[in-house]
Amino acid sequence: VNVSLTKKLLDLCVKNKIKRFIFTSSHVVYGKTNYLPIDEEHPKLPKTNYGESKLLAEKICKSYSKDFDLQITLLRISSVFGFGQNEKYIIPRMFKDALSKKITLHKYSNGYQLMDLIHVDDVSKAIFKACKAKKFAIYNLASGIGTTPFNLAKIISKFVDGCEIFIENKKGETNHFLYDVSKIENEINFTAKSKPNFKILKPWFDKINLN
């Protein structure tokens, strides 16, 4: 779906003489982190089929930009958070755990792993700004600020009296994510504003708790 529909949309752009195309890619195209912060030139070795599909779609975009003079912007979006997200994602899952007064983290896989989270509102604003870009470009769309699941748990545990954080030494491969966002800041004047802090997370938690 990611690959075939991207190509169909690009074909429609060519047919209808639409020159601007924004492709929302993903940070998972990078795969295992070789160095931090991760810039746009970092090696790309996706570890999942989803990552492979995004990388292949990127390559198709590059080809169409060259062959048909399309002005394409590729946005490699880091981990997104925001109200409405389902429980398979880390913050809503922690909300649910907090209500049971126990947030459990795995030390080596999801306790101290560095994460770069970006709010959904910032993603929307960046896409709007990318619509005005004048050339083919690839950008990391991230906050450029690292946090860890443990830091998130410390904030969220304060929402429920008596909530405790438990760290288990469950083995797992730690892969840190922190992105170089200097290119998107300099070229389209975008900087993420919303951080996963108490001010952002508490109203979100309260809405879920009321439901």
Side-chain angles (χ1 to χ4, degrees), residues 135-174:
K135 62 177 182 178
F136 176 84
I138 301 171
Y139 299 113
N140 286 333
L141 178 48
S143 70
I145 298 173
T147 189
T148 65
F150 182 66
N151 288 338
L152 293 174
K154 284 198 295 183
I155 296 170
I156 293 169
S157 65
K158 296 176 182 177
F159 301 164
V160 177
D161 290 340
C163 181
E164 297 183 77
I165 302 170
F166 293 88
I167 306 292
E168 296 181 352
N169 287 334
K170 183 177 179 179
K171 290 186 177 180
E173 184 180 7
T174 300

Side-chain angles (χ1 to χ4, degrees), residues 170-211:
K170 183 177 179 179
K171 290 186 177 180
E173 184 180 7
T174 300
N175 199 23
H176 298 289
F177 300 100
L178 179 65
Y179 298 94
D180 183 341
V181 293
S182 57
K183 186 177 179 183
I184 197 169
E185 288 178 345
N186 294 333
E187 294 190 8
I188 66 172
N189 192 31
F190 170 79
T191 302
K193 302 295 184 184
S194 299
K195 309 298 187 285
N197 53 28
F198 187 95
K199 183 179 178 181
I200 292 287
L201 298 181
K202 186 60 164 63
W204 178 6
F205 175 82
D206 290 342
K207 286 180 182 177
I208 291 175
N209 201 19
L210 285 173
N211 292 333

